[in-house]
Amino acid sequence: MNYLIFDLEWNNTFGREVNINEIIEIGAVLLDHKLKEIGRFSTFVRPRIARKLNSRTKNLTHITNLDIQNGIPFPQAIRELSGFIGTEETTALTWGDTDLRVLIENLKCFLGSENIPFLKNYLDLQKYYHTVTNRSLSQQASLAHAAESLKIDPEKYALHRALDDSLLSADCFRVIFDRDLVEHMALVCDQTFYNRFLFKPYIINDLSSPAIDRSRLTCSCDRCGGKAQRVGPWKFFNGAFHAPYFCRTCNRKLNFSIRFKQYYDYVEIRERTVDGKPQNSSVKSTD
């Protein structure tokens, strides 16, 4: 098993018909099964939509307009990267999944495909780092911060340049490498992977949706724990269903709200019970 660690730089582009994070640089480092470097890949990509870089991109990456003008077209860059990887079984890694999403965005825009041709197995290196170091994903570590925590000096590389970020990611990967955990966390990039990866979570706003577990549309008093009685209609606003309830045991009014958020293969449910009168809302009843 080889490991491809790659990174992208892009320019936020606003065209007449499309807004896209247009890729302007691709960098990658290829490691063998012993994590020995066996190749490097680096190229500028000549953009098709925006011929010039915005100021933020130039300041962050120090890439110039001349650099991208001398780059190669995006389809050629993908072909060359695929050739660079070769035919050996390979797991691709990126720091976080944003690069993967940007790559798919560009493939869809310029090649009419959402499938990455060289992606057979994938590991989110940022998530892997958080797992190994037992850190919460609620505050995602930047690559530079992770390197420092692993006693790696990030200053030896030019941050926000594709090849250098790939090399720094490879250094981090070597320090925290656990073959069994990598195999456990790596994902096979079949159609299910793409369906899950590209699925956009959404708030369910229709009370009749079959995705809603109607048994959850009950309110327990936050004081006595007893079952409260609904005394008004359900209303949907602020991303949740709301209804007034009354606890006979405590002789008090309650506001109960519950939110259903649909993910690819599950529904996240969040509920809240507070004291007081029902909130005013112009939204019509869902009953």
Side-chain angles (χ1 to χ4, degrees):
M1 175 70 72
N2 288 342
Y3 301 97
L4 174 81
I5 302 176
F6 73 95
D7 184 80
L8 309 173
E9 301 300 333
W10 58 82
N11 185 46
N12 187 246
T13 300
F14 298 90
R16 291 183 177 179
E17 298 180 357
V18 62
N19 296 333
I20 185 174
N21 293 310
E22 193 169 12
I23 294 172
I24 56 172
E25 187 182 34
I26 302 175
V29 57
L30 191 62
L31 310 178
D32 66 12
H33 67 286
K34 294 183 178 180
L35 306 188
K36 178 183 178 181
E37 183 181 319
I38 54 178
R40 296 182 181 187
F41 178 89
S42 180
T43 186
F44 289 114
V45 178
R46 186 166 65 248
R48 286 176 51 182
I49 298 176
R51 301 300 181 180
K52 294 184 179 180
L53 302 174
N54 62 51
S55 58
R56 182 184 181 279
T57 300
K58 288 190 291 186
N59 293 334
L60 183 67
T61 66
H62 301 293
I63 295 173
T64 69
N65 289 320
L66 182 60
D67 289 330
I68 61 172
Q69 289 168 11
N70 291 329
I72 61 178
F74 176 74
Q76 180 184 343
I78 294 301
R79 288 195 302 270
E80 291 189 6
L81 178 58
S82 299
F84 165 76
I85 297 167
T87 58
E88 186 76 19
E89 185 74 11
T90 302
T91 294
L93 301 90
T94 59
W95 189 264
D97 64 14
T98 303
D99 286 55
L100 214 60
R101 296 184 185 280
V102 170
L103 181 54
I104 291 174
E105 180 184 26
N106 280 253
L107 286 166
K108 184 177 180 180
C109 181
F110 301 124
L111 294 176
S113 172
E114 292 184 337
N115 286 19
I116 302 172
F118 59 81
L119 198 69
K120 308 303 179 185
N121 307 285
Y122 174 71
L123 177 66
D124 181 335
L125 183 54
Q126 184 186 56
K127 184 178 294 185
Y128 176 80
Y129 163 82
H130 278 263
T131 300
V132 171
T133 58
N134 196 29
R135 297 168 186 252
S136 172
L137 275 169
S138 60
Q139 293 184 330
Q140 296 180 340
S142 67
L143 176 57
H145 177 81
E148 290 174 347
S149 75
L150 298 173
K151 311 303 181 184
I152 299 170
D153 181 12
E155 296 300 323
K156 67 179 181 178
Y157 296 113
L159 296 178
H160 304 297
R161 290 300 303 271
L163 178 58
D164 285 63
D165 280 353
S166 298
L167 293 169
L168 181 56
S169 296
D171 284 349
C172 293
F173 185 51
R174 291 186 181 98
V175 173
I176 57 177
F177 181 72
D178 180 315
R179 193 177 305 278
D180 290 339
L181 183 58
V182 168
E183 292 179 358
H184 175 72
M185 291 187 64
L187 303 172
V188 176
C189 300
D190 53 13
Q191 192 56 51
T192 299
F193 166 83
Y194 284 101
N195 291 344
R196 181 189 299 273
F197 188 75
L198 296 173
F199 184 85
K200 296 181 179 180
Y202 62 91
I203 301 295
I204 300 173
N205 60 9
D206 181 0
L207 203 59
S208 64
S209 169
I212 287 181
D213 180 359
R214 297 193 67 84
S215 68
R216 300 296 298 269
L217 297 175
T218 58
C219 173
S220 297
C221 178
D222 56 340
R223 286 184 184 173
C224 70
K227 186 176 181 180
Q229 180 182 359
R230 183 161 63 91
V231 293
W234 286 104
K235 295 182 179 181
F236 182 84
F237 56 93
N238 295 336
F241 295 99
H242 301 256
Y245 277 76
F246 184 76
C247 176
R248 294 184 181 276
T249 302
C250 298
N251 191 32
R252 60 192 283 257
K253 296 178 180 179
L254 303 169
N255 286 333
F256 177 69
S257 63
I258 185 166
R259 188 190 79 167
F260 299 92
K261 189 171 184 179
Q262 179 71 64
Y263 288 86
Y264 175 73
D265 52 4
Y266 71 96
V267 176
E268 177 190 74
I269 302 175
R270 293 185 181 181
E271 57 184 59
R272 185 184 182 207
T273 303
V274 296
D275 215 351
K277 297 179 180 180
Q279 299 181 36
N280 292 326
S281 174
S282 61
V283 181
K284 293 182 179 180
S285 166
T286 59
D287 285 2

